[in-house]
Amino acid sequence: MTNKEIAQAFDLLARVMELHNENPFKIKSYQNAYLNLRKLDQSLSTYTIEELMQIKGIGEAIAEKIQSLVLTGAMPTLEKYKAKTPPGVVEMLKINGLGPKKVAIIWKELGIESPGELLYACNENRLVELKGFGEKTQSSIIQAIGFLHSTGGKYLHTSVNHQAERIMQLLTEINPQAIHSITGSLRLGHSIVEQLDILTTCTRYDLDKITVTQGMEWTRSTDEAYLGLWNEFLVVKINLTDPEHWADQLIQTTGPQSYLNKNKRLVIQTSQSEEGIYRQAQLPYVAPELREIIQIEDWSQPKLDQLIRRQQINGIIHSHSTYSDGIHSLEDMANATKLAGFEYLAITDHSQAAAYARGLKPEKLFIQWAEIDALNQKNIPFRILKGIECDILASGQLDYEEVILKQFELVIASIHSAFQMDIEKATSRIIKAIESPFTNIVGHPTGRLLLTRAGYPLHMTKIIDACKANQVALELNANPQRLDLDYGFIQDCMDQGVYIAINPDAHNMSSIHDIDYGVLAARKGKLTSEFCLNTMGVDELLKFCHKKK
């Protein structure tokens, strides 16, 4: 099991125990385990019991549960509580905005035991008179259930990519001479994927060696492809080819079909590489993530080359340390950023209103700034910037007095609370923050969490216009669960001269590399290096921020 899956098991245990009104101290300990384990970048499978007990908030009992999950994929305590809870009630705990206490009321007072029954009850207005609910809550539940149902069989890009690596490793173990590649929607850079496609030079004989005990249950096979179910949940199609036809089959299985239909010259060419096929077809090479963009096939090579590339990113602008809810120290984050080849790091820990994330009171800020000054002296020419991810309060005000705000070198203004807003209120709230002389970037503008929470409604045209008028950039948060701003708005931003900041929102050293997901999304949005804030050197970035003030 991955660290994320282990952490989620503790989150579920805490929620199910709260559903049954169990010991609140035990519930809190499991909630803390979830918060701490999900941030670790070293695999929990490598820890001994003693090493696990060195992790903050992990005692012997929790350490033993972690090892049980690592070794067996199950936790007896969780299974005990799940056994006495209807599966549909456990499913209701996934409904956004519906916590265990409310699920318990719905279950025990109304006898509702599934999201489908709950939706029917909402449509019958049965929740309106229920204590602690009301018409507004009922309306929110209807929307949340609809969103939950729409995500069935859909997975985040990063989750499927992780599974793809495991499958291709398995293919290599079976046939070390074979070559493999991800194709289809994952290679096209979709943020949400329903099926994993792989191209391989393995033979039918090789694939027949893969059994259910290794994770794959085959459902159909032909001379060209095998279809299977990986680990009982992910649909996988493995396309077969030989080395001679590798490049042209890579193009064909990547697709999309609409692109191939427009570029039939690609279909009749053969070469040792994709680039060679494009040359023979007298077409500029189009990277996979760009092949769905309308009329991209008509672009010239120089125009394609203007699109942002990972190598052009000079700095990491959004990151967290142990000063707030990050897992690694300020110095560790700086060293990891430098080692990854970047020139600077903006530390943007949470502001004081974010109590859940140990937001920084002014006195703690002063301590952090002193450490930043010392590290900057030590690491010349690498630079750490004194930033903050500042909460946008319900009023639209920023979460510090002016005397503090003016001392930051960079301010990301983000919403982390009071999500239940109509489009007018949400838009005016963000615009008010944009108009602050201290805001440089709007963080994860719509607040969406892919497959979990739809973003709050916004008049994006008004937001972009306000950013243009106030020299404020919009963030493309590169966390693969966010990818917010959606890349569909990037062209509108560039048309107005508004910069995009591709930010990993890194809470540990390894998540610095999440910036790659952001670059992928930005390229799909046709972002050029000219309009990417992170392509600026540190002095140019500081000048951009200072001009706003």
Side-chain angles (χ1 to χ4, degrees), residues 7-42:
Q8 287 173 336
F10 282 99
D11 181 49
L12 180 57
L13 176 58
R15 291 160 71 81
V16 176
M17 286 180 67
E18 189 174 353
L19 195 64
H20 290 280
N21 199 28
E22 295 287 2
N23 187 320
F25 296 104
K26 280 192 174 183
I27 293 170
K28 185 67 175 176
S29 70
Y30 296 138
Q31 289 171 336
N32 288 336
Y34 162 70
L35 292 171
N36 291 325
L37 294 175
R38 69 188 181 128
K39 298 174 188 174
L40 295 175
D41 51 359
Q42 180 181 335

mmCIF file of all heavy atoms in Angstrom, residues 7-42:
data_model
loop_
_atom_site.group_PDB
_atom_site.id
_atom_site.type_symbol
_atom_site.label_atom_id
_atom_site.label_comp_id
_atom_site.label_asym_id
_atom_site.label_seq_id
_atom_site.Cartn_x
_atom_site.Cartn_y
_atom_site.Cartn_z
ATOM 1 N N ALA A 7 -2.607 6.291 4.977
ATOM 2 C CA ALA A 7 -3.147 7.458 5.684
ATOM 3 C C ALA A 7 -4.665 7.491 5.574
ATOM 4 O O ALA A 7 -5.375 7.748 6.556
ATOM 5 C CB ALA A 7 -2.543 8.738 5.117
ATOM 6 N N GLN A 8 -5.182 7.201 4.380
ATOM 7 C CA GLN A 8 -6.628 7.236 4.171
ATOM 8 C C GLN A 8 -7.346 6.174 5.005
ATOM 9 O O GLN A 8 -8.493 6.373 5.413
ATOM 10 C CB GLN A 8 -6.943 7.058 2.690
ATOM 11 C CG GLN A 8 -6.613 8.294 1.865
ATOM 12 C CD GLN A 8 -6.764 8.078 0.371
ATOM 13 O OE1 GLN A 8 -6.692 6.947 -0.117
ATOM 14 N NE2 GLN A 8 -6.961 9.151 -0.364
ATOM 15 N N ALA A 9 -6.673 5.052 5.278
ATOM 16 C CA ALA A 9 -7.273 4.013 6.128
ATOM 17 C C ALA A 9 -7.495 4.546 7.537
ATOM 18 O O ALA A 9 -8.526 4.267 8.166
ATOM 19 C CB ALA A 9 -6.373 2.781 6.150
ATOM 20 N N PHE A 10 -6.542 5.345 8.044
ATOM 21 C CA PHE A 10 -6.700 5.932 9.379
ATOM 22 C C PHE A 10 -7.775 7.021 9.372
ATOM 23 O O PHE A 10 -8.515 7.179 10.339
ATOM 24 C CB PHE A 10 -5.363 6.474 9.882
ATOM 25 C CG PHE A 10 -4.446 5.402 10.395
ATOM 26 C CD1 PHE A 10 -3.439 4.902 9.591
ATOM 27 C CD2 PHE A 10 -4.609 4.874 11.660
ATOM 28 C CE1 PHE A 10 -2.605 3.883 10.049
ATOM 29 C CE2 PHE A 10 -3.784 3.870 12.132
ATOM 30 C CZ PHE A 10 -2.773 3.369 11.317
ATOM 31 N N ASP A 11 -7.860 7.777 8.279
ATOM 32 C CA ASP A 11 -8.909 8.790 8.164
ATOM 33 C C ASP A 11 -10.283 8.120 8.191
ATOM 34 O O ASP A 11 -11.198 8.572 8.896
ATOM 35 C CB ASP A 11 -8.723 9.566 6.857
ATOM 36 C CG ASP A 11 -9.767 10.656 6.674
ATOM 37 O OD1 ASP A 11 -9.981 11.435 7.619
ATOM 38 O OD2 ASP A 11 -10.384 10.715 5.594
ATOM 39 N N LEU A 12 -10.419 7.015 7.453
ATOM 40 C CA LEU A 12 -11.695 6.299 7.436
ATOM 41 C C LEU A 12 -12.011 5.708 8.804
ATOM 42 O O LEU A 12 -13.148 5.772 9.268
ATOM 43 C CB LEU A 12 -11.654 5.196 6.377
ATOM 44 C CG LEU A 12 -12.927 4.348 6.247
ATOM 45 C CD1 LEU A 12 -14.141 5.218 5.945
ATOM 46 C CD2 LEU A 12 -12.749 3.269 5.177
ATOM 47 N N LEU A 13 -10.997 5.161 9.469
ATOM 48 C CA LEU A 13 -11.213 4.596 10.803
ATOM 49 C C LEU A 13 -11.729 5.664 11.764
ATOM 50 O O LEU A 13 -12.684 5.440 12.518
ATOM 51 C CB LEU A 13 -9.911 3.987 11.334
ATOM 52 C CG LEU A 13 -9.962 3.442 12.782
ATOM 53 C CD1 LEU A 13 -11.039 2.375 12.929
ATOM 54 C CD2 LEU A 13 -8.595 2.898 13.181
ATOM 55 N N ALA A 14 -11.112 6.847 11.738
ATOM 56 C CA ALA A 14 -11.543 7.937 12.622
ATOM 57 C C ALA A 14 -12.984 8.340 12.330
ATOM 58 O O ALA A 14 -13.794 8.552 13.244
ATOM 59 C CB ALA A 14 -10.607 9.138 12.455
ATOM 60 N N ARG A 15 -13.338 8.396 11.047
ATOM 61 C CA ARG A 15 -14.680 8.827 10.665
ATOM 62 C C ARG A 15 -15.736 7.778 11.052
ATOM 63 O O ARG A 15 -16.820 8.124 11.529
ATOM 64 C CB ARG A 15 -14.718 9.120 9.166
ATOM 65 C CG ARG A 15 -13.903 10.360 8.805
ATOM 66 C CD ARG A 15 -13.523 10.383 7.328
ATOM 67 N NE ARG A 15 -14.649 10.638 6.463
ATOM 68 C CZ ARG A 15 -15.153 11.836 6.199
ATOM 69 N NH1 ARG A 15 -14.600 12.911 6.747
ATOM 70 N NH2 ARG A 15 -16.165 11.980 5.382
ATOM 71 N N VAL A 16 -15.408 6.498 10.838
ATOM 72 C CA VAL A 16 -16.369 5.454 11.192
ATOM 73 C C VAL A 16 -16.529 5.362 12.710
ATOM 74 O O VAL A 16 -17.636 5.161 13.216
ATOM 75 C CB VAL A 16 -15.939 4.095 10.593
ATOM 76 C CG1 VAL A 16 -16.885 2.994 11.037
ATOM 77 C CG2 VAL A 16 -15.917 4.170 9.067
ATOM 78 N N MET A 17 -15.420 5.530 13.451
ATOM 79 C CA MET A 17 -15.526 5.511 14.914
ATOM 80 C C MET A 17 -16.356 6.688 15.420
ATOM 81 O O MET A 17 -17.145 6.548 16.359
ATOM 82 C CB MET A 17 -14.124 5.544 15.536
ATOM 83 C CG MET A 17 -13.377 4.223 15.423
ATOM 84 S SD MET A 17 -11.733 4.282 16.152
ATOM 85 C CE MET A 17 -12.138 4.494 17.895
ATOM 86 N N GLU A 18 -16.187 7.849 14.800
ATOM 87 C CA GLU A 18 -16.987 9.016 15.190
ATOM 88 C C GLU A 18 -18.465 8.769 14.885
ATOM 89 O O GLU A 18 -19.348 9.202 15.634
ATOM 90 C CB GLU A 18 -16.483 10.257 14.457
ATOM 91 C CG GLU A 18 -17.107 11.547 14.962
ATOM 92 C CD GLU A 18 -16.497 12.793 14.340
ATOM 93 O OE1 GLU A 18 -15.498 12.681 13.604
ATOM 94 O OE2 GLU A 18 -17.039 13.896 14.604
ATOM 95 N N LEU A 19 -18.711 8.062 13.808
ATOM 96 C CA LEU A 19 -20.079 7.679 13.445
ATOM 97 C C LEU A 19 -20.741 6.881 14.573
ATOM 98 O O LEU A 19 -21.932 7.024 14.841
ATOM 99 C CB LEU A 19 -20.005 6.825 12.167
ATOM 100 C CG LEU A 19 -21.253 6.553 11.359
ATOM 101 C CD1 LEU A 19 -21.814 7.838 10.785
ATOM 102 C CD2 LEU A 19 -20.924 5.567 10.240
ATOM 103 N N HIS A 20 -19.927 6.055 15.248
ATOM 104 C CA HIS A 20 -20.437 5.219 16.337
ATOM 105 C C HIS A 20 -20.229 5.861 17.716
ATOM 106 O O HIS A 20 -20.363 5.180 18.739
ATOM 107 C CB HIS A 20 -19.760 3.847 16.292
ATOM 108 C CG HIS A 20 -20.188 3.013 15.121
ATOM 109 N ND1 HIS A 20 -21.372 2.316 15.098
ATOM 110 C CD2 HIS A 20 -19.589 2.789 13.922
ATOM 111 C CE1 HIS A 20 -21.485 1.681 13.940
ATOM 112 N NE2 HIS A 20 -20.421 1.941 13.205
ATOM 113 N N ASN A 21 -19.848 7.156 17.713
ATOM 114 C CA ASN A 21 -19.690 7.905 18.959
ATOM 115 C C ASN A 21 -18.681 7.257 19.911
ATOM 116 O O ASN A 21 -18.911 7.141 21.118
ATOM 117 C CB ASN A 21 -21.046 8.066 19.658
ATOM 118 C CG ASN A 21 -21.042 9.201 20.670
ATOM 119 O OD1 ASN A 21 -20.285 10.177 20.530
ATOM 120 N ND2 ASN A 21 -21.857 9.086 21.700
ATOM 121 N N GLU A 22 -17.547 6.832 19.366
ATOM 122 C CA GLU A 22 -16.511 6.181 20.157
ATOM 123 C C GLU A 22 -15.626 7.209 20.863
ATOM 124 O O GLU A 22 -15.811 8.423 20.726
ATOM 125 C CB GLU A 22 -15.674 5.269 19.259
ATOM 126 C CG GLU A 22 -16.450 4.089 18.672
ATOM 127 C CD GLU A 22 -16.758 3.016 19.698
ATOM 128 O OE1 GLU A 22 -16.418 3.191 20.884
ATOM 129 O OE2 GLU A 22 -17.357 1.994 19.322
ATOM 130 N N ASN A 23 -14.623 6.711 21.572
ATOM 131 C CA ASN A 23 -13.707 7.537 22.371
ATOM 132 C C ASN A 23 -13.100 8.661 21.531
ATOM 133 O O ASN A 23 -12.363 8.405 20.580
ATOM 134 C CB ASN A 23 -12.585 6.632 22.917
ATOM 135 C CG ASN A 23 -11.682 7.364 23.884
ATOM 136 O OD1 ASN A 23 -11.338 8.522 23.686
ATOM 137 N ND2 ASN A 23 -11.277 6.682 24.944
ATOM 138 N N PRO A 24 -13.391 9.926 21.888
ATOM 139 C CA PRO A 24 -12.895 11.050 21.069
ATOM 140 C C PRO A 24 -11.368 11.171 21.064
ATOM 141 O O PRO A 24 -10.791 11.683 20.102
ATOM 142 C CB PRO A 24 -13.546 12.281 21.717
ATOM 143 C CG PRO A 24 -13.934 11.848 23.092
ATOM 144 C CD PRO A 24 -14.241 10.393 23.005
ATOM 145 N N PHE A 25 -10.707 10.706 22.127
ATOM 146 C CA PHE A 25 -9.250 10.788 22.167
ATOM 147 C C PHE A 25 -8.623 9.815 21.163
ATOM 148 O O PHE A 25 -7.637 10.139 20.493
ATOM 149 C CB PHE A 25 -8.736 10.504 23.584
ATOM 150 C CG PHE A 25 -9.181 11.529 24.587
ATOM 151 C CD1 PHE A 25 -10.208 11.243 25.481
ATOM 152 C CD2 PHE A 25 -8.610 12.796 24.623
ATOM 153 C CE1 PHE A 25 -10.636 12.198 26.398
ATOM 154 C CE2 PHE A 25 -9.030 13.751 25.529
ATOM 155 C CZ PHE A 25 -10.045 13.455 26.426
ATOM 156 N N LYS A 26 -9.192 8.626 21.040
ATOM 157 C CA LYS A 26 -8.703 7.675 20.040
ATOM 158 C C LYS A 26 -8.974 8.195 18.630
ATOM 159 O O LYS A 26 -8.137 8.083 17.737
ATOM 160 C CB LYS A 26 -9.379 6.307 20.236
ATOM 161 C CG LYS A 26 -8.788 5.470 21.346
ATOM 162 C CD LYS A 26 -9.313 4.043 21.271
ATOM 163 C CE LYS A 26 -8.610 3.169 22.305
ATOM 164 N NZ LYS A 26 -9.053 1.752 22.221
ATOM 165 N N ILE A 27 -10.158 8.760 18.439
ATOM 166 C CA ILE A 27 -10.506 9.323 17.134
ATOM 167 C C ILE A 27 -9.497 10.401 16.741
ATOM 168 O O ILE A 27 -9.002 10.433 15.612
ATOM 169 C CB ILE A 27 -11.936 9.892 17.152
ATOM 170 C CG1 ILE A 27 -12.951 8.756 17.308
ATOM 171 C CG2 ILE A 27 -12.228 10.705 15.893
ATOM 172 C CD1 ILE A 27 -14.372 9.211 17.580
ATOM 173 N N LYS A 28 -9.176 11.276 17.702
ATOM 174 C CA LYS A 28 -8.219 12.353 17.443
ATOM 175 C C LYS A 28 -6.840 11.789 17.078
ATOM 176 O O LYS A 28 -6.159 12.315 16.195
ATOM 177 C CB LYS A 28 -8.110 13.257 18.685
ATOM 178 C CG LYS A 28 -7.235 14.491 18.480
ATOM 179 C CD LYS A 28 -7.852 15.456 17.493
ATOM 180 C CE LYS A 28 -7.042 16.745 17.384
ATOM 181 N NZ LYS A 28 -7.585 17.649 16.351
ATOM 182 N N SER A 29 -6.434 10.712 17.746
ATOM 183 C CA SER A 29 -5.121 10.124 17.464
ATOM 184 C C SER A 29 -5.073 9.566 16.050
ATOM 185 O O SER A 29 -4.040 9.676 15.359
ATOM 186 C CB SER A 29 -4.780 9.035 18.479
ATOM 187 O OG SER A 29 -5.585 7.890 18.300
ATOM 188 N N TYR A 30 -6.172 8.978 15.582
ATOM 189 C CA TYR A 30 -6.203 8.451 14.216
ATOM 190 C C TYR A 30 -6.263 9.586 13.192
ATOM 191 O O TYR A 30 -5.677 9.486 12.105
ATOM 192 C CB TYR A 30 -7.389 7.500 14.041
ATOM 193 C CG TYR A 30 -7.298 6.256 14.907
ATOM 194 C CD1 TYR A 30 -8.414 5.752 15.571
ATOM 195 C CD2 TYR A 30 -6.085 5.588 15.057
ATOM 196 C CE1 TYR A 30 -8.328 4.613 16.371
ATOM 197 C CE2 TYR A 30 -5.988 4.445 15.855
ATOM 198 C CZ TYR A 30 -7.107 3.976 16.512
ATOM 199 O OH TYR A 30 -7.005 2.847 17.306
ATOM 200 N N GLN A 31 -6.964 10.660 13.537
ATOM 201 C CA GLN A 31 -6.987 11.823 12.650
ATOM 202 C C GLN A 31 -5.590 12.423 12.507
ATOM 203 O O GLN A 31 -5.165 12.799 11.404
ATOM 204 C CB GLN A 31 -7.957 12.885 13.192
ATOM 205 C CG GLN A 31 -9.427 12.499 13.075
ATOM 206 C CD GLN A 31 -10.338 13.461 13.818
ATOM 207 O OE1 GLN A 31 -9.925 14.140 14.764
ATOM 208 N NE2 GLN A 31 -11.597 13.516 13.400
ATOM 209 N N ASN A 32 -4.860 12.512 13.618
ATOM 210 C CA ASN A 32 -3.496 13.030 13.576
ATOM 211 C C ASN A 32 -2.579 12.112 12.769
ATOM 212 O O ASN A 32 -1.692 12.577 12.043
ATOM 213 C CB ASN A 32 -2.944 13.204 14.990
ATOM 214 C CG ASN A 32 -3.585 14.371 15.715
ATOM 215 O OD1 ASN A 32 -4.091 15.304 15.087
ATOM 216 N ND2 ASN A 32 -3.586 14.347 17.041
ATOM 217 N N ALA A 33 -2.785 10.788 12.910
ATOM 218 C CA ALA A 33 -1.994 9.839 12.127
ATOM 219 C C ALA A 33 -2.219 10.074 10.637
ATOM 220 O O ALA A 33 -1.269 10.085 9.842
ATOM 221 C CB ALA A 33 -2.363 8.406 12.499
ATOM 222 N N TYR A 34 -3.469 10.283 10.262
ATOM 223 C CA TYR A 34 -3.795 10.577 8.854
ATOM 224 C C TYR A 34 -3.064 11.824 8.375
ATOM 225 O O TYR A 34 -2.420 11.820 7.308
ATOM 226 C CB TYR A 34 -5.304 10.753 8.703
ATOM 227 C CG TYR A 34 -5.720 11.469 7.439
ATOM 228 C CD1 TYR A 34 -5.588 10.870 6.196
ATOM 229 C CD2 TYR A 34 -6.244 12.769 7.505
ATOM 230 C CE1 TYR A 34 -5.960 11.539 5.037
ATOM 231 C CE2 TYR A 34 -6.625 13.435 6.345
ATOM 232 C CZ TYR A 34 -6.483 12.818 5.114
ATOM 233 O OH TYR A 34 -6.840 13.476 3.980
ATOM 234 N N LEU A 35 -3.116 12.895 9.160
ATOM 235 C CA LEU A 35 -2.496 14.159 8.755
ATOM 236 C C LEU A 35 -0.978 14.033 8.623
ATOM 237 O O LEU A 35 -0.370 14.615 7.725
ATOM 238 C CB LEU A 35 -2.847 15.262 9.758
ATOM 239 C CG LEU A 35 -4.318 15.686 9.791
ATOM 240 C CD1 LEU A 35 -4.577 16.616 10.972
ATOM 241 C CD2 LEU A 35 -4.711 16.367 8.489
ATOM 242 N N ASN A 36 -0.360 13.268 9.508
ATOM 243 C CA ASN A 36 1.100 13.152 9.494
ATOM 244 C C ASN A 36 1.596 12.155 8.442
ATOM 245 O O ASN A 36 2.596 12.414 7.766
ATOM 246 C CB ASN A 36 1.609 12.742 10.884
ATOM 247 C CG ASN A 36 1.420 13.846 11.914
ATOM 248 O OD1 ASN A 36 1.538 15.024 11.597
ATOM 249 N ND2 ASN A 36 1.126 13.475 13.148
ATOM 250 N N LEU A 37 0.906 11.038 8.289
ATOM 251 C CA LEU A 37 1.378 9.994 7.376
ATOM 252 C C LEU A 37 1.256 10.409 5.921
ATOM 253 O O LEU A 37 2.081 10.054 5.092
ATOM 254 C CB LEU A 37 0.599 8.693 7.616
ATOM 255 C CG LEU A 37 0.802 8.013 8.978
ATOM 256 C CD1 LEU A 37 -0.116 6.810 9.110
ATOM 257 C CD2 LEU A 37 2.255 7.607 9.172
ATOM 258 N N ARG A 38 0.211 11.160 5.568
ATOM 259 C CA ARG A 38 -0.007 11.504 4.159
ATOM 260 C C ARG A 38 1.056 12.436 3.610
ATOM 261 O O ARG A 38 1.212 12.575 2.402
ATOM 262 C CB ARG A 38 -1.389 12.130 3.971
ATOM 263 C CG ARG A 38 -1.552 13.506 4.584
ATOM 264 C CD ARG A 38 -2.982 13.999 4.545
ATOM 265 N NE ARG A 38 -3.099 15.322 5.115
ATOM 266 C CZ ARG A 38 -3.682 16.340 4.513
ATOM 267 N NH1 ARG A 38 -4.208 16.181 3.320
ATOM 268 N NH2 ARG A 38 -3.748 17.521 5.092
ATOM 269 N N LYS A 39 1.832 13.094 4.504
ATOM 270 C CA LYS A 39 2.852 14.051 4.048
ATOM 271 C C LYS A 39 4.226 13.408 3.871
ATOM 272 O O LYS A 39 5.121 14.025 3.309
ATOM 273 C CB LYS A 39 2.967 15.201 5.046
ATOM 274 C CG LYS A 39 1.701 16.019 5.201
ATOM 275 C CD LYS A 39 1.877 17.037 6.311
ATOM 276 C CE LYS A 39 0.581 17.755 6.641
ATOM 277 N NZ LYS A 39 0.737 18.631 7.810
ATOM 278 N N LEU A 40 4.390 12.177 4.347
ATOM 279 C CA LEU A 40 5.702 11.534 4.280
ATOM 280 C C LEU A 40 6.039 11.172 2.844
ATOM 281 O O LEU A 40 5.194 10.705 2.090
ATOM 282 C CB LEU A 40 5.721 10.274 5.142
ATOM 283 C CG LEU A 40 5.552 10.477 6.661
ATOM 284 C CD1 LEU A 40 5.469 9.122 7.344
ATOM 285 C CD2 LEU A 40 6.703 11.297 7.229
ATOM 286 N N ASP A 41 7.302 11.368 2.452
ATOM 287 C CA ASP A 41 7.698 10.985 1.105
ATOM 288 C C ASP A 41 8.441 9.655 1.075
ATOM 289 O O ASP A 41 8.545 9.026 0.034
ATOM 290 C CB ASP A 41 8.545 12.082 0.446
ATOM 291 C CG ASP A 41 9.712 12.540 1.306
ATOM 292 O OD1 ASP A 41 9.860 12.035 2.425
ATOM 293 O OD2 ASP A 41 10.469 13.402 0.840
ATOM 294 N N GLN A 42 8.955 9.172 2.216
ATOM 295 C CA GLN A 42 9.590 7.854 2.265
ATOM 296 C C GLN A 42 8.518 6.789 2.490
ATOM 297 O O GLN A 42 7.642 6.935 3.341
ATOM 298 C CB GLN A 42 10.612 7.788 3.400
ATOM 299 C CG GLN A 42 11.338 6.441 3.524
ATOM 300 C CD GLN A 42 12.320 6.424 4.682
ATOM 301 O OE1 GLN A 42 12.811 7.463 5.104
ATOM 302 N NE2 GLN A 42 12.608 5.236 5.189
#
